[in-house]
Amino acid sequence: LRPLRMPLLVGSVPTRSGEPQGNAEGSAWIAWYVRSHLRSIPPPNGKLDPAGHLKTAINYAIDHELEGQIAYHRSNADCLGTLDHRMHILATILLVVTILGGGFYIVFLWVNMESVYEPLKPWVTFLGGILPVCGAAINGIRATGDFRSSADQSRRTVVALTDIQDRLEGERDRVDGPRRYHVRLLMNEAVRIMAVDLNIWAMIYSRRELGPGVG
């Protein structure tokens, strides 16, 4: 509901605001909820003059909506990218340690260094079983969380919202004042971009049943 504020500032409504989010079964209530909130907002009362109200609306959209979203997605992309990279490095280290441990044990066994390989045998057996399991679990978390794709999506969102912000600033700084039609289109485009993450989240998680374990 939060992005709805921007188009309402210029006497408009979000593009396709009343349609269900995705094709997930049972998602029609989302569209009903959005429409009910839009109906509860009284009609705008005032003049959308370029010199006053439109510039104020643009400043509000930039300062209170776009800049916050851009900062969030920048931070989100950095955090998720770092998390995915570190988990990849850790899983690789566990795999390498397992291979090296087994390889050294085979070498000691081959040269018949009993004083070395006998004390190492329980440790090699234990680590040879536990380290691959931990590595597989880490890669499973990476695959389930899909951190890289989420980071890439946040980076794309930063680029798109930054472009919208620059174009809104261009409209605000026009000599003859901003044009309402272009401001409305830009704000609707910003709403569409900001809703992409929500749509993807709703489409995925609405199919996961509530229950014990992983859905």
Side-chain angles (χ1 to χ4, degrees):
L1 293 173
R2 182 176 52 78
L4 300 181
R5 296 180 293 197
M6 284 196 295
L8 293 173
L9 291 172
V10 292
S12 181
V13 294
T15 304
R16 303 172 65 183
S17 60
E19 295 188 6
Q21 303 299 314
N23 298 319
E25 184 179 355
S27 64
W29 70 270
I30 301 175
W32 172 87
Y33 193 65
V34 172
R35 289 196 302 268
S36 67
H37 274 267
L38 288 176
R39 287 193 298 268
S40 69
I41 299 174
N45 183 17
K47 182 179 179 181
L48 291 172
D49 58 298
H53 187 90
L54 279 180
K55 286 189 176 182
T56 301
I58 292 173
N59 288 331
Y60 175 88
I62 293 174
D63 296 338
H64 298 280
E65 300 290 349
L66 296 181
E67 287 186 352
Q69 281 292 297
I70 291 171
Y72 162 75
H73 281 287
R74 280 201 180 111
S75 175
N76 189 58
D78 291 340
C79 290
L80 292 181
T82 301
L83 178 62
D84 181 78
H85 178 70
R86 289 179 177 175
M87 294 182 74
H88 171 69
I89 295 297
L90 181 57
T92 302
I93 290 174
L94 294 178
L95 176 62
V96 171
V97 170
T98 302
I99 294 174
L100 290 177
F104 281 123
Y105 181 78
I106 292 174
V107 170
F108 292 139
L109 184 64
W110 180 64
V111 298
N112 199 23
M113 296 179 64
E114 186 174 352
S115 60
V116 177
Y117 72 74
E118 279 298 333
L120 287 179
K121 185 175 182 179
W123 288 102
V124 172
T125 303
F126 174 76
L127 294 178
I130 196 67
L131 293 184
V133 171
C134 293
I138 291 172
N139 281 321
I141 293 172
R142 287 182 65 211
T144 303
D146 202 11
F147 304 118
R148 183 181 298 178
S149 297
S150 298
D152 290 340
Q153 175 61 34
S154 284
R155 293 187 187 98
R156 288 191 294 268
T157 302
V158 168
V159 173
L161 290 182
T162 301
D163 178 65
I164 296 293
Q165 178 176 317
D166 292 341
R167 291 162 67 184
L168 280 174
E169 290 174 347
E171 284 292 326
R172 181 192 60 193
D173 297 336
R174 281 172 52 90
V175 176
D176 54 348
R179 298 162 294 184
R180 179 185 175 276
Y181 176 74
H182 290 82
V183 173
R184 179 177 67 85
L185 291 181
L186 289 172
M187 288 188 175
N188 271 325
E189 179 65 13
V191 170
R192 185 194 65 79
I193 294 168
M194 293 163 65
V196 167
D197 289 330
L198 175 61
N199 293 343
I200 294 174
W201 178 88
M203 187 167 52
I204 293 174
Y205 285 90
S206 62
R207 296 187 178 276
R208 295 188 177 182
E209 298 180 357
L210 275 178
V214 180

